[in-house]
Amino acid sequence: MIVRLESYPRLGELAHISVRGVHTKNPHHGRGYVEEAPHMPFSRLAVEASVTELVSDSVPLPPYQDGYTEWKRSAGGALTVSVRDALDVVEQALKGSGQ
């Protein structure tokens, strides 16, 4: 779900997204996995390459603001890979940090 669109001189056009309905392994979570990523900043092109269909154009926004605020505070960057590839990288990083 695209939750915010912005443009920055250094990063270009960004789509801040919230991902729901995934099964990402996370050894730090009580269930051992999470089903959402509340905030992920992507380049517009990466999101366009990842989208397969428009499901809805009017839904309530999920609570992404904390992640967005932290991203903004830390002058974060943007992901340029597909959403699937980014989730795989997150899962591998979490797996490595749990050992």
Side-chain angles (χ1 to χ4, degrees):
M1 174 185 307
I2 297 172
V3 296
R4 186 180 196 111
L5 297 171
E6 296 182 308
S7 184
Y8 291 90
R10 182 177 62 87
L11 299 172
E13 292 181 309
L14 300 185
H16 297 270
I17 71 167
S18 180
V19 181
R20 296 185 295 185
V22 294
H23 188 94
T24 302
K25 294 177 186 171
N26 182 344
H28 306 290
H29 192 279
R31 293 182 296 192
Y33 67 93
V34 295
E35 296 176 332
E36 64 183 11
H39 174 257
M40 297 180 81
F42 282 88
S43 72
R44 177 182 166 192
L45 294 175
V47 171
E48 287 177 351
S50 298
V51 173
T52 56
E53 68 180 285
L54 175 64
V55 176
S56 177
D57 63 359
S58 180
V59 296
L61 292 179
Y64 74 94
Q65 293 87 352
D66 288 348
Y68 173 78
T69 299
E70 177 59 26
W71 172 85
K72 189 95 166 163
R73 185 194 64 72
S74 65
L79 298 157
T80 57
V81 298
S82 72
V83 174
R84 176 73 265 160
D85 287 348
L87 290 170
D88 288 344
V89 169
V90 167
E91 186 173 82
Q92 289 303 314
L94 289 169
K95 179 181 176 185
S97 69
Q99 297 175 345

